[in-house]
Amino acid sequence: MNTNVQKVSRAPSVLLPMLFIGLMFFILGFVTWLNGSLIPFLKIVCDLNNFQALWVTFAFYIAYTVMALPSAAVLSRIGYKNGMTVGLGVMAVGAMLFIPAAKSSYYGIFLLALFTLATGMTLMQTAINPYIVCIGPRESAATRISIMGLFNKGAGIVVPLVFAAVMLSGIDMHSEAALAALDAGARAQVRADLSVRLVFPYAVMAAVLLCFMVVVHFSSLPELSLDEEGTQTEVDRFGVFQFPQVVLGALALFAYVGVEVIAGDTIGLYGQTLGVKNFAVLTSYTMGFMVLGYCLGVLTIPKLMSQKAALLMSALSGIAFTAGIIMSSSTDTSLSQALLGWAGVPVVPNTVMFLALLGFANALVWPSLWPLALEGLGKYTAAGSALLIMGIAGGALLPMLYGHFSDAGNSQAAYWVMLPCYGLILFYALVGHKMRRWK
């Protein structure tokens, strides 16, 4: 590849790259957190149970495991900026695949479209996460990632509200009981009518992604250089396994993404099970608390709180809130009333409120973990980034595990699957990030 790459400045000129990366984080958040509203919608359209509906998360997040190492190889050849451009193009193709999926109402095409979208996002994530870590001082990397998280989770607040307004008009008329009262032909027609509602928004999404791809391609966004001579060279990508901090970081990230997706993407299904009327917008509750968590990170890291302390706090609060989900009332709304009543936000049962509060617990895991895991990797940074991205597979597998236990028994009790995940994050915060050699 071209070795005359521009080295990213560590001066105040990082503002322009951060603006571009922030917009990309918003786009990634918009696409990612659309799943939380899409899952209960497709459950109706494609006549699915909870486990089947959560194949949405599997198809989406498994792409990060399958495509992470190929993405690192692509970046080593074409660079980080060009990788962002290609990633946006692949995402546009995935958005366009929703058009035949919606017209046919065939679940398999929906899953293929989601996998394609996530393939482009894998390339984007592999490029932009080390980019934001390396464009400034390492000790303040969590602050920069927290700022990016505001863009990402801000999109997570907006998306369910937009989706509910555009896609879910009259959806209460199509409950399971209402559909069961119709004959087979009428049920099929109702589901087909709901499905085609997806055509226009995903066509718009594809157009926006293509436009932004052109903008990034012709922008002045500098290339990232990570080795000592200011050039990017081919390295043994599997040599990264000699670094315990990144391998254990990938495992912790696997657990984290799993619990983040469970908190954000199953809350709608859970609310639907409990009869919450505004179940389609519940993902906004989780994302709202995540935004509060990111604001805390921006204000306190590193001046008042280290990245290690933030990760420890996240793990402990995650354990506490998970216990709250399992043990609290499914009818009492006092917690929601206390936290949200002043804002005029519709109240929800306490158990749902604790699930939303996991957004606050989860917020600082990603921004704290990345700089700790990538520390000292040097020329292995791209491979380390790819390994961490592979950890996003937790979002594919752990929600499926929750879906299995939810269908087999009690959907509230099934949230116990998150406890060992927060235990692993706690181990990494206390011990794993310090390890520099395998013993």
Side-chain angles (χ1 to χ4, degrees):
M1 69 173 279
N2 181 12
T3 59
N4 296 320
V5 293
Q6 179 183 350
K7 201 164 188 174
V8 171
S9 171
R10 296 183 182 271
S13 59
V14 300
L15 179 60
L16 180 61
M18 282 190 68
L19 288 175
F20 269 105
I21 300 301
L23 186 53
M24 281 184 267
F25 267 100
F26 183 88
I27 290 172
L28 292 176
F30 193 97
V31 175
T32 298
W33 298 113
L34 190 57
N35 290 341
S37 298
L38 191 63
I39 288 169
F41 184 80
L42 290 182
K43 182 182 178 182
I44 295 172
V45 168
C46 299
D47 191 20
L48 310 170
N49 60 30
N50 285 346
F51 179 78
Q52 292 167 333
L54 286 169
W55 275 96
V56 166
T57 62
F58 181 86
F60 189 84
Y61 289 100
I62 200 65
Y64 285 99
T65 296
V66 175
M67 302 306 298
L69 289 178
S71 293
V74 169
L75 291 180
S76 70
R77 292 182 179 276
I78 68 174
Y80 286 77
K81 178 182 174 181
N82 288 334
M84 296 173 200
T85 302
V86 173
L88 286 164
V90 176
M91 288 175 65
V93 173
M96 286 186 283
L97 283 173
F98 267 85
I99 297 174
K103 290 184 176 180
S104 66
S105 300
Y106 185 62
Y107 193 41
I109 304 179
F110 281 117
L111 297 180
L112 175 62
L114 287 161
F115 182 87
T116 306
L117 261 174
T119 295
M121 293 174 68
T122 304
L123 187 55
M124 289 276 288
Q125 291 269 23
T126 308
I128 65 179
N129 281 289
Y131 200 103
I132 203 66
V133 167
C134 297
I135 62 173
R138 189 64 65 109
E139 63 272 13
S140 61
T143 300
R144 292 191 299 278
I145 299 177
S146 292
I147 294 172
M148 297 302 103
L150 291 175
F151 286 94
N152 186 276
K153 270 57 184 187
I157 295 174
V158 173
V159 166
L161 300 176
V162 173
F163 190 89
V166 175
M167 303 299 304
L168 300 181
S169 175
I171 195 71
D172 292 336
M173 299 171 57
H174 306 304
S175 64
E176 292 182 11
L179 288 172
L182 301 175
D183 60 62
R187 280 198 301 271
Q189 186 59 51
V190 167
R191 290 187 171 118
D193 291 342
L194 288 174
S195 184
V196 294
R197 294 186 186 185
L198 292 170
V199 172
F200 178 73
Y202 277 94
V204 172
M205 182 190 294
V208 171
L209 289 169
L210 289 172
C211 288
F212 194 59
M213 179 185 71
V214 174
V215 171
V216 171
H217 180 73
F218 291 104
S219 73
S220 58
L221 194 67
E223 184 55 81
L224 182 64
S225 180
L226 294 171
D227 64 294
E228 295 178 357
E229 289 76 28
T231 62
Q232 292 178 327
T233 57
E234 292 286 343
V235 298
D236 175 15
R237 289 185 294 277
F238 296 100
V240 74
F241 288 99
Q242 68 187 286
F243 300 100
Q245 73 270 29
V246 74
V247 175
L248 295 174
L251 292 175
L253 203 67
F254 177 93
Y256 156 70
V257 177
V259 295
E260 182 189 46
V261 173
I262 289 173
D265 284 0
T266 73
I267 190 170
L269 283 176
Y270 186 45
Q272 188 180 34
T273 300
L274 296 180
V276 176
K277 291 184 179 180
N278 57 329
F279 68 87
V281 301
L282 289 178
T283 296
S284 292
Y285 287 49
T286 306
M287 295 301 104
F289 282 112
M290 265 195 128
V291 166
L292 288 178
Y294 278 119
C295 289
L296 177 66
V298 170
L299 293 174
T300 62
I301 300 174
K303 293 181 179 179
L304 301 177
M305 181 169 57
S306 69
Q307 293 167 159
K308 293 175 284 188
L311 193 60
L312 179 61
M313 180 194 73
S314 297
L316 293 174
S317 58
I319 292 171
F321 291 150
T322 300
I325 297 168
I326 297 169
M327 296 186 293
S328 61
S329 171
S330 61
T331 56
D332 182 14
T333 61
S334 58
L335 178 62
S336 176
Q337 189 69 46
L339 293 176
L340 301 176
W342 61 272
V345 176
V347 297
V348 294
N350 288 351
T351 179
V352 177
M353 198 67 221
F354 275 114
L355 186 55
L357 281 168
L358 281 179
F360 183 82
N362 293 336
L364 296 182
V365 177
W366 183 280
S368 300
L369 194 149
W370 271 83
L372 293 174
L374 293 180
E375 185 175 354
L377 295 191
K379 64 183 181 179
Y380 290 99
T381 298
S385 175
L387 189 62
L388 291 173
I389 291 296
M390 290 177 72
I392 294 177
L397 300 176
L398 294 176
M400 298 288 289
L401 185 63
Y402 166 78
H404 168 73
F405 288 116
S406 176
D407 283 332
N410 186 296
S411 58
Q412 182 174 2
Y415 282 108
W416 70 264
V417 299
M418 295 190 289
L419 290 174
C421 297
Y422 284 113
L424 181 56
I425 296 169
L426 181 62
F427 167 79
Y428 189 76
L430 293 173
V431 178
H433 76 277
K434 301 176 184 177
M435 296 176 62
R436 292 295 180 268
R437 64 184 64 180
W438 298 107
K439 296 179 181 180

